[in-house]
Amino acid sequence: MSSQWTSPVPDSTLTVSGDTPPAGVLRIIIPLQFAPGLMVSGRCMSNKRNNDDSVNPPGLLGKSDKGPVFEPGYHDREGKFTFVRNPEERELSVIHDLTLREIGAAVAEPDVMRRVYRHNRDSLWALYRSETAERRDPKLIGYVAYLPLSEAGHAALQADTLDACDPNLEHLAANGERPAALYTWAMVARGACDLASALVAFATGLELHDSVPIYGRIGTEGGLKALQRKGRSPTADKAKMGSLFRVQITEQERAILHAMPVVPGTPKRELKPKHIYSTAVAATADDVARAFAIRAAVFMAEQNCPYDEEFDGNDQAATHILGCVDGEPAATLRLRYFGGFVKMERLAVLPRYRLSFISKDIVEYAIALIRKKGFTRIYGTSQLHLTKFWGRFGFRPLSKNETVVFSDHQYVEVMAEFPPVSDAFTPYSDPMVLIRPEGRWDVPGVLDRSAQRPATNPRRV
């Protein structure tokens, strides 16, 4: 590579303007690492699109291309190759650990990151470095994350009611939808902030990057000092931690970005995922019947458990979780609530799905549900050969462990303890959220719709 791209803004800075109505406009200069923003999205980088014939072939991208580029990369001055792509779900835990180290503990929980990512995969881009453009043995070195806001989310941001730690999915554009705005969620890319932002702009499409507003907030003392030191208007000294700003790029800067020589990746030929997984609370009689059918097949048919022992009288007082693979019932487990803990039990997975990820998904979903309800301790009894499986989720044998035998099996008492989540439900939570269907608290339910009618207080006289 003979030519080298340089950041369009000297000293790794971007011109941005405050946008906190109704205070007016605040002209500021802020270091890019505190105001990442060369990115915008609204089109899902789905497998279908990745394999479309219109995707750029390998080689340098022409200057006229403005559509999304598949896994764009760039040769740096040190001869290394850096590129971005949507991370695999198994990498999310690594990304969250990186966030805790670089940003601190006051960040969204892993299950929130996973939920947002599944809602819109363009919300998260991982940054990798490899020796060559062949991308062999890439090393994850950072990421760029943002919230693609719907019209409602854009309004909530401007009204300062957007919950960035646990965003309402109604405030986010879904896969395939064009966002009304972009809110910078987080960025970790030591020494590569400019490059990471630019590559994400190509990955999501320069046309979108040029046309959708991008916002962020001052999140560090360094960023605040930069605002105050390099402000271009008398109102710059009014900036404070948490101030909302809007990224603005000059035409010259935009032209330099568009001319950046990026190298597209080669899409995989798989047109769709092998399997589609879904996990939810069994909310209907049909869902519960499916869960019971799985348990009957696993425990009664495979393990010769008598009917009365499997369906033990506790099912009507429990929450049942149902996991499906490609729409077919595949796994289930049961939750029962006690004073200071939850008992997780009756995990059953049909034989043909035991090599899939559904067992992992259903346990992680149940843990997230339990923590959202305010519990931090989960108790269970594990069959002896499954203690390693439960250990992956943080379950450890109890010190008091007694020999537990029932239904012809010996069990080990196990327990997992988790830190409380910041958004756990309390009596002071939104009452309209508390009455929504179990596990679907981020989606308005039938009673939300009923609230649109005026109160007539009907009663029988």
Side-chain angles (χ1 to χ4, degrees):
M1 177 67 62
S2 58
S3 62
Q4 289 290 340
W5 175 82
T6 57
S7 172
V9 190
D11 301 323
S12 299
T13 61
L14 271 182
T15 303
V16 300
S17 66
D19 195 2
T20 311
V25 175
L26 173 68
R27 274 308 264 190
I28 55 179
I29 296 288
I30 184 170
L32 184 57
Q33 58 264 36
F34 302 125
L38 292 177
M39 53 196 168
V40 70
S41 172
R43 294 177 58 184
C44 170
M45 185 166 277
S46 63
N47 287 321
K48 180 177 180 181
R49 200 199 73 212
N50 290 348
N51 291 273
D52 192 279
D53 292 338
S54 64
V55 173
N56 295 284
L60 290 180
L61 184 72
K63 294 182 180 181
S64 62
D65 294 290
K66 286 192 175 184
V69 179
F70 181 71
E71 296 184 2
Y74 176 76
H75 293 274
D76 63 26
R77 289 185 173 84
E78 298 176 356
K80 303 290 185 180
F81 187 78
T82 304
F83 66 99
V84 296
R85 72 180 181 204
N86 294 127
E88 298 180 15
E89 284 215 18
R90 61 181 176 81
E91 295 177 291
L92 296 187
S93 59
V94 178
I95 290 174
H96 192 264
D97 290 344
L98 182 63
T99 307
L100 293 176
R101 291 198 304 269
E102 297 292 333
I103 297 179
V107 295
E109 294 287 333
D111 57 295
V112 174
M113 177 185 290
R114 186 177 296 107
R115 177 167 54 85
V116 170
Y117 187 48
R118 288 177 176 177
H119 185 72
N120 191 325
R121 286 178 61 84
D122 281 355
S123 62
L124 182 60
W125 297 90
L127 185 68
Y128 301 88
R129 184 161 289 159
S130 61
E131 294 295 327
T132 67
E134 294 179 349
R135 306 165 194 238
R136 294 176 181 172
D137 301 319
K139 179 182 178 182
L140 193 151
I141 62 172
Y143 72 92
V144 176
Y146 57 89
L147 301 179
L149 302 179
S150 62
E151 292 288 352
H154 192 191
L157 175 67
Q158 294 180 312
D160 200 26
T161 59
L162 179 72
D163 185 353
C165 287
D166 190 4
N168 186 331
L169 294 186
E170 282 194 326
H171 289 162
L172 305 182
N175 282 322
E177 295 179 354
R178 185 184 181 94
L182 256 291
Y183 175 75
T184 304
W185 207 15
M187 184 178 192
V188 175
R190 283 186 176 270
C193 292
D194 290 342
L195 181 57
S197 295
L199 290 176
V200 171
F202 278 93
T204 55
L206 293 178
E207 183 274 327
L208 289 172
H209 163 260
D210 291 344
S211 58
V212 176
I214 305 168
Y215 299 89
R217 288 190 185 277
I218 306 304
T220 67
E221 290 293 340
L224 177 60
K225 291 178 181 178
L227 289 176
Q228 296 169 338
R229 183 175 65 252
K230 298 183 178 182
R232 289 185 174 179
S233 81
T235 57
D237 58 354
K238 296 181 181 179
K240 59 183 179 180
M241 292 288 288
S243 292
L244 183 70
F245 60 84
R246 177 175 172 177
V247 177
Q248 290 185 336
I249 305 175
T250 67
E251 288 303 319
Q252 179 183 5
E253 294 161 359
R254 181 173 289 110
I256 295 174
L257 173 65
H258 283 219
M260 178 180 173
V262 300
V263 181
T266 302
K268 295 179 180 179
R269 293 302 173 188
E270 186 180 4
L271 296 179
K272 62 180 181 180
K274 288 185 178 180
H275 299 291
I276 297 174
Y277 299 90
S278 61
T279 309
V281 172
T284 67
D286 282 345
D287 286 343
V288 174
R290 292 181 176 95
F292 287 179
I294 294 170
R295 283 168 49 187
V298 172
F299 295 122
M300 294 176 61
E302 285 190 67
Q303 300 184 17
N304 297 320
C305 181
Y307 177 89
D308 289 341
E309 294 179 13
E310 175 53 36
F311 298 99
D312 56 356
N314 284 318
D315 288 314
Q316 299 303 317
T319 297
H320 301 276
I321 312 297
L322 179 65
C324 295
V325 177
D326 299 329
E328 287 295 313
T332 186
L333 62 75
R334 186 174 80 179
L335 304 176
R336 289 194 294 132
Y337 303 93
F338 294 83
F341 66 96
V342 176
K343 188 172 190 294
M344 186 180 293
E345 55 193 9
R346 295 299 199 275
L347 173 63
V349 181
L350 292 177
R352 61 184 176 275
Y353 298 115
R354 287 176 188 164
L355 295 180
S356 73
F357 293 105
I358 192 62
S359 60
K360 174 178 178 292
D361 278 9
I362 198 170
V363 173
E364 289 183 341
Y365 176 90
I367 292 173
L369 182 85
I370 290 167
R371 298 179 69 192
K372 180 72 173 178
K373 292 171 77 73
F375 291 90
T376 60
R377 293 194 297 174
I378 307 175
Y379 167 87
T381 51
S382 168
Q383 292 185 9
L384 290 176
H385 69 286
L386 293 175
T387 54
K388 184 176 180 180
F389 168 82
W390 289 107
R392 297 171 188 166
F393 304 97
F395 287 86
R396 299 291 182 266
L398 286 178
S399 58
K400 76 169 183 78
N401 234 314
E402 302 176 3
T403 300
V404 181
V405 177
F406 59 87
S407 294
D408 307 311
H409 288 276
Q410 184 175 343
Y411 293 85
V412 176
E413 291 182 288
V414 295
M415 189 169 72
E417 297 197 46
F418 300 91
V421 294
S422 60
D423 61 344
F425 289 128
T426 74
Y428 301 98
S429 299
D430 185 341
M432 296 305 294
V433 173
L434 293 177
I435 62 176
R436 288 174 180 171
E438 191 82 352
R440 297 176 173 87
W441 299 296
D442 55 349
V443 179
V446 62
L447 296 181
D448 290 83
R449 294 190 291 273
S450 76
Q452 298 175 8
R453 304 193 303 265
T456 59
N457 301 311
R459 68 182 186 274
R460 185 171 184 175
V461 180

